[in-house]
Amino acid sequence: MGYELVECERGLRGLLSVSIDRVPGTVYPTGPADFVLVEDCEQVTRQLQRVLEVEGCDYARLEVSSPGLDRPLRRMADYVRFEGAEIDVTLRQVFQGRKKYRGILRLAGKGPDASLELIFRDGKDKDEQVLGFTLDEVREARLVPVVDFKGRGRKDKDAGAAAGEAAEQEPGGHEE
């Protein structure tokens, strides 16, 4: 159907949970968008119900959804697609006293031999640091959610920046 399978999990009480994503450059009947729409999930659900019935797969409930703003990165193709994005990486083994890192994803090299790098800043040091890693060393990697409220009542970027600074200073990070 032209969608990418991101995750497929079996849950409690017969739940089969499927997460799909749109493939860049593919034209979809539900219209242009960079993200999965409800209509996409409906189409995939209908198709999966038919296929699962024909294949005799046992499940009680089927849930098809988008991978969300914090989309997991599992395959090398995911890392290539989201090069330049901010990601959270949790390593399998402790490296320099920690397992969790947040930074900008970069590929060093081209093709299947490309290695993965994370450009990050440590809280103590203002200089950029580079963490080289392989897929085998990663326990979990996810995109850092980017929420953009442009056009939702803000008059300019300065008003948005001021609101963000106020939220950072406010205990609990929200207005009353």
Side-chain angles (χ1 to χ4, degrees):
M1 294 182 68
Y3 297 96
E4 177 186 351
L5 174 65
V6 177
E7 289 183 305
C8 183
E9 298 176 339
R10 285 198 173 266
L12 298 174
R13 296 185 214 122
L15 174 65
L16 179 59
S17 179
V18 176
S19 177
I20 61 170
D21 202 358
R22 285 184 164 203
V23 177
T26 304
V27 177
Y28 292 94
T30 55
D34 294 333
F35 47 87
V36 174
L37 302 173
V38 172
E39 291 83 4
D40 297 321
C41 295
E42 289 173 351
Q43 287 180 357
V44 172
T45 298
R46 282 193 293 275
Q47 184 65 26
L48 275 177
Q49 286 172 332
R50 291 182 194 116
V51 170
L52 293 171
E53 182 179 339
V54 168
E55 294 295 324
C57 292
D58 185 34
Y59 72 97
R61 295 177 298 137
L62 176 63
E63 175 184 273
V64 177
S65 64
S66 78
L69 294 175
D70 62 342
R71 181 194 199 281
L73 305 178
R74 302 238 191 273
R75 300 170 295 140
M76 186 60 165
D78 297 335
Y79 290 88
V80 170
R81 177 178 173 187
F82 293 105
E83 180 182 15
E86 189 174 20
I87 66 170
D88 286 327
V89 175
T90 303
L91 301 175
R92 293 183 189 275
Q93 301 289 325
V94 174
F95 180 72
Q96 295 183 346
R98 62 193 246 202
K99 286 185 176 184
K100 294 185 178 190
Y101 293 85
R102 176 177 280 189
I104 303 299
L105 175 63
R106 180 171 75 184
L107 298 177
K110 297 207 185 251
D113 296 330
S115 59
L116 302 167
E117 295 181 342
L118 190 70
I119 312 303
F120 69 99
R121 292 179 190 225
D122 199 355
K124 302 170 190 170
D125 191 5
K126 303 249 184 209
D127 294 333
E128 285 185 344
Q129 296 182 26
V130 178
L131 171 69
F133 62 97
T134 65
L135 286 179
D136 292 337
E137 295 173 313
V138 175
R139 172 175 287 150
E140 180 181 45
R142 292 186 170 274
L143 292 176
V144 172
V146 176
V147 181
D148 186 5
F149 292 107
K150 289 181 182 176
R152 292 196 173 232
R154 291 193 181 160
K155 303 213 188 241
D156 59 30
K157 291 181 183 178
D158 292 336
E165 289 171 10
E168 288 176 9
Q169 294 172 0
E170 182 76 28
H174 63 280
E175 296 179 47
E176 299 205 18

